[in-house]
C-alpha cells in the first residue's frame, strides 16, 4: 500500500461567476494555491472572497498564480485589496505573481510592481554615472506610455458603461465564435479606426440587432469588417 505521506494533498474547488473561475488547490506543505482564470472585472472581489472562504484555516500561506488572467479593469484593484486584507486579517503571507499580457501592462501604468503588487521589491537607485537614455528609446517609451494611458481611459469608460459593452461583446461572440477578450479587442479597434467612443460603437452594434433598426454608419461597418477579418474570425 502506498504511503499517503508521499501523495500531494490536493483539493480543487471551482467557483464560476461570469468570466472568472478560481481553482483552489492545497499543496502537500499546507499552502493554498489559487489559480484565477478569465477576467478581473466587476464582481471579481466577491468571487475571490468565496474562494478564500474555502481555504483551510491552517494554511501557512496563500499564493495566487495570475498567469491565466487575460484581462482586467480597475475592479482588479478591489480584488488585490481583498486578498491583502485576508492576509492581514489571518496573519498569513499572500502573493499574486505570474502577471502577463494586458493585466501586466495595467499594473505598469498604475505604478504597481508587476512581479507581485502586494509585495513590491525595492528598486535599486540608479547610479549617477549612468549615461542618459538615448532620445530614440525615450521617444519609444513616451509612445508606449501614451498608448497605455489611452487603454486605461478606455477601461475606465468601459467600467461606467459596462452593460451596453457587455451586450455588444456577447453579440460579437455569438456571431463570430470569438472569445470575450477578442470581442473586446474588436470593439476597441473599431473605436480607434472610426474615431468613435467605445460606448457609442457598442450601442450601435447592439441596436443594429433589433428588428427594423437602421444599420450602423458606413465607417463603423467598415472598421468592424476590418477588425474581424484581421483576426480571421
Amino acid at each position: 500500500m502506498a504511503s499517503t505521506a508521499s501523495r500531494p494533498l490536493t483539493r480543487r474547488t471551482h467557483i464560476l461567476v461570469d468570466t472568472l473561475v478560481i481553482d483552489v488547490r492545497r499543496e502537500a506543505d499546507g499552502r493554498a494555491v489559487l489559480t484565477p482564470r478569465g477576467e478581473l472585472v466587476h464582481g471579481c472581489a466577491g468571487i475571490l472572497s468565496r474562494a478564500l472562504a474555502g481555504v483551510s484555516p491552517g494554511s501557512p500561506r496563500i499564493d495566487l498564480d495570475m498567469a491565466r488572467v487575460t484581462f482586467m479593469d480597475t475592479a482588479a484593484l478591489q480584488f488585490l485589496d481583498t486578498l491583502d486584507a485576508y492576509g492581514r486579517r489571518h496573519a498569513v503571507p499572500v502573493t499574486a505573481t505570474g502577471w502577463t499580457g494586458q493585466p501586466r501592462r495595467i499594473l505598469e501604468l498604475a505604478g504597481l510592481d508587476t512581479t507581485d503588487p502586494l509585495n513590491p521589491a525595492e528598486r535599486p537607485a540608479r547610479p549617477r554615472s549612468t549615461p542618459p537614455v538615448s532620445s530614440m528609446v525615450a521617444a519609444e517609451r513616451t509612445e508606449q506610455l501614451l498608448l497605455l494611458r489611452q487603454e486605461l481611459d478606455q477601461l475606465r469608460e468601459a467600467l461606467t458603461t459596462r452593460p451596453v459593452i457587455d451586450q455588444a461583446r456577447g453579440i460579437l461572440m455569438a456571431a463570430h465564435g470569438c472569445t470575450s477578450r477578442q470581442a473586446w479587442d474588436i470593439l476597441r479597434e473599431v473605436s480607434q479606426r472610426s474615431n468613435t467612443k467605445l460606448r457609442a460603437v457598442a450601442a450601435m452594434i447592439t441596436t443594429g440587432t433589433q428588428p427594423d433598426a437602421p444599420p450602423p454608419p458606413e465607417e463603423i461597418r467598415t472598421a468592424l469588417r476590418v477588425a474581424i477579418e484581421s483576426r480571421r474570425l
Side-chain angles (χ1 to χ4, degrees):
M1 180 180 295
S3 171
T4 57
S6 63
R7 299 177 182 174
L9 302 177
T10 61
R11 178 174 58 81
R12 295 180 180 272
T13 301
H14 293 284
I15 300 175
L16 174 62
V17 176
D18 294 334
T19 57
L20 183 66
V21 176
I22 299 181
D23 180 78
V24 182
R25 187 179 72 252
R26 184 182 178 189
E27 298 292 357
D29 59 3
R31 66 189 177 96
V33 177
L34 277 63
T35 307
R37 292 183 285 116
E39 303 180 353
L40 299 186
V41 292
H42 179 70
C44 62
I47 301 173
L48 176 61
S49 294
R50 290 189 287 275
L52 291 172
V55 172
S56 173
S59 296
R61 64 180 293 123
I62 309 292
D63 294 329
L64 266 70
D65 181 1
M66 309 300 294
R68 296 186 180 182
V69 173
T70 58
F71 174 84
M72 74 181 193
D73 58 22
T74 51
L77 298 179
Q78 187 178 1
F79 180 93
L80 293 174
D81 287 342
T82 298
L83 179 60
D84 184 57
Y86 179 93
R88 295 178 184 276
R89 185 167 61 253
H90 295 276
V92 175
V94 295
T95 67
T97 61
W99 301 86
T100 61
Q102 186 263 5
R104 183 183 177 91
R105 294 199 301 272
I106 296 303
L107 290 179
E108 290 176 346
L109 184 57
L112 299 175
D113 190 291
T114 55
T115 301
D116 183 0
L118 297 179
N119 303 282
E122 293 186 2
R123 298 181 180 179
R126 183 177 178 181
R128 293 185 178 181
S129 59
T130 301
V133 180
S134 68
S135 58
M136 181 179 297
V137 174
E140 181 180 356
R141 290 181 177 176
T142 299
E143 181 178 359
Q144 291 175 346
L145 181 59
L146 289 174
L147 290 175
L148 287 171
R149 285 176 175 169
Q150 290 175 1
E151 184 171 4
L152 184 58
D153 288 341
Q154 289 179 338
L155 289 173
R156 286 171 175 165
E157 180 183 358
L159 187 61
T160 58
T161 60
R162 185 167 181 82
V164 67
I165 292 177
D166 276 350
Q167 292 177 29
R169 290 169 72 181
I171 291 170
L172 292 174
M173 292 166 65
H176 303 285
C178 60
T179 65
S180 177
R181 175 57 195 270
Q182 287 174 327
W184 165 263
D185 289 339
I186 290 171
L187 288 174
R188 188 177 61 178
E189 182 175 337
V190 172
S191 173
Q192 294 172 345
R193 285 182 176 275
S194 63
N195 194 27
T196 306
K197 286 187 176 295
L198 191 65
R199 183 186 185 284
V201 171
M204 292 176 192
I205 293 176
T206 302
T207 302
T209 62
Q210 299 176 1
D212 301 325
E218 177 62 30
E219 61 270 20
I220 299 296
R221 298 201 303 272
T222 300
L224 183 61
R225 182 171 61 253
V226 171
I228 292 173
E229 290 178 351
S230 67
R231 291 165 176 78
R232 298 180 180 179
L233 299 177

